[in-house]
Amino acid sequence: MSDLRDVTDDLRAEAEELDRTVVDLDADGWATPTAVPGWTVGHQIAHLAALYRLIGLAASDPVAFTALTTQPRFDLEARLRASLSGYLLEPPGALFPRWHTERENTAAVLAALPPDRTVPWLGGPLEASALAGAAMTELFRHDQDIADALGLSRKRTDRVRHAIEFGLLPDSARYRPTGWTPPGPGLHVFLTAPSGALWDHGPTESRQKIVGAAEDFCLLVTGHGAQAVDLLASGPEARRWLADAQGRSAEAP
C-alpha cells in the first residue's frame, strides 16, 4: 500500500469532491434514487457516514471496536442499517455536516497512527494504510453511485490508485462485501492512470494479462463492472478472471 500520509491526504481531497457535489442539493436532490434498490442520495451519504464512524472507532479505540464486533450475532450490514436510519432522521441540512464530521474525524485518526500500526477490522487486522485504502474504496463506490444518479461525469485523478492497491491485496476479498476476488498471483495487471502514468502489478513476464484504464479497474473493484469498458484480457486465465469479476460486479448491491 501507499504511504499512510499520502492515503489520508488523498482521502480528504476525494471527500471534498463529494462534498461539492451534495452540499447545495435541495430536498429533491437528496431524495434522488440511486442504482442501489431503495437507496437515495441521502442513503448513500448516511451509509458512508456510518461506515466511516466505524472505521474511525477501529483506528482510535481498537479495544472498543473489538468488543463491539465480537458480540454474538454481530452483523455489519444490520449495524450499518441501524446507524443509517439514525442519520436519515436528520434533515438534509443536518445530514451533510454529520457526514463531514465523520469523514474528517476518520481521516484525522488514521493520519495520526504510526505507519506500521495494525488496526482491527471486520475481515481481520489491517495495516493502517490498508484500512485507509478501504475507506477510499468505499468512498469511490458511493461517490460513483451518487454521480450516476445525478447525471454527473467524474473526472478522476491518480487518487484512484489507493482503491486499486486495496483491491489488489491478496486477501482483499475478506474485506469487500461486493463479491470481489482479486487477480491471482499469475496475472499481470497493467493500467494507465488518469495522469498517463503506467501502473503494473504481478509478474510482468506472465502471458495472462489485464490491460486498460486504471479508473475502469477501480470501477470493477467497487461493483461498477458494467461501466468498466476499457479493460482487456489476454490469456485464458485472465479472460476467465475478468468475465467472472464483471459478472460478480453486476450482481453487487
Side-chain angles (χ1 to χ4, degrees):
M1 292 295 299
S2 298
D3 177 78
L4 177 58
R5 176 63 67 176
D6 288 342
V7 188
T8 53
D9 285 349
D10 285 351
L11 186 62
R12 284 192 174 99
E14 200 71 15
E16 288 167 2
E17 291 287 342
L18 176 56
D19 286 358
R20 284 189 281 272
T21 298
V22 300
V23 65
D24 292 324
L25 289 179
D26 58 16
D28 288 341
W30 283 93
T32 303
T34 68
V36 179
W39 277 27
T40 65
V41 169
H43 285 82
Q44 297 278 351
I45 293 294
H47 186 272
L48 269 176
L51 182 61
Y52 270 49
R53 184 177 181 84
L54 197 58
I55 292 172
L57 179 64
S60 63
D61 194 341
V63 174
F65 174 85
T66 302
L68 171 67
T69 56
T70 55
Q71 291 175 357
R73 296 184 298 279
F74 176 83
D75 183 293
L76 171 62
E77 288 305 316
R79 176 81 185 185
L80 290 177
R81 281 195 299 271
S83 298
L84 183 148
S85 299
Y87 285 107
L88 288 172
L89 291 174
E90 304 276 6
L95 177 56
F96 175 78
R98 288 285 298 279
W99 147 244
H100 188 274
T101 297
E102 300 295 3
R103 62 95 166 165
E104 275 295 303
N105 288 346
T106 297
V109 296
L110 285 169
L113 292 174
D116 58 350
R117 176 67 56 85
T118 298
V119 181
W121 191 236
L122 300 165
L126 281 172
E127 290 185 3
S129 59
L131 184 57
M136 178 69 87
T137 304
E138 291 305 312
L139 178 58
F140 184 104
R141 174 189 175 194
H142 294 284
D143 174 78
Q144 188 65 47
D145 283 339
I146 290 169
D148 291 343
L150 297 175
L152 303 176
S153 178
R154 281 284 184 254
K155 184 174 178 58
R156 298 295 182 183
T157 71
D158 284 9
R159 292 193 292 267
V160 300
R161 77 185 188 275
H162 304 303
I164 292 170
E165 288 176 354
F166 179 75
L168 288 170
L169 291 175
D171 58 354
S172 61
R174 291 194 294 156
Y175 309 101
R176 292 255 56 228
T178 57
W180 170 252
T181 300
L187 268 65
H188 178 216
V189 179
F190 188 78
L191 304 173
T192 302
S195 67
L198 300 178
W199 300 337
D200 70 280
H201 170 82
T204 57
E205 72 280 2
S206 174
R207 295 185 179 182
Q208 310 298 319
K209 295 184 182 295
I210 304 294
V211 180
E215 178 181 347
D216 284 54
F217 193 87
C218 195
L219 288 167
L220 193 63
V221 170
T222 57
H224 298 89
Q227 297 169 258
V229 297
D230 192 7
L231 292 173
L232 296 174
S234 61
E237 183 182 343
R239 286 193 290 270
R240 281 194 299 271
W241 177 84
L242 183 58
D244 181 64
Q246 288 175 325
R248 289 174 181 269
S249 181
E251 296 170 0

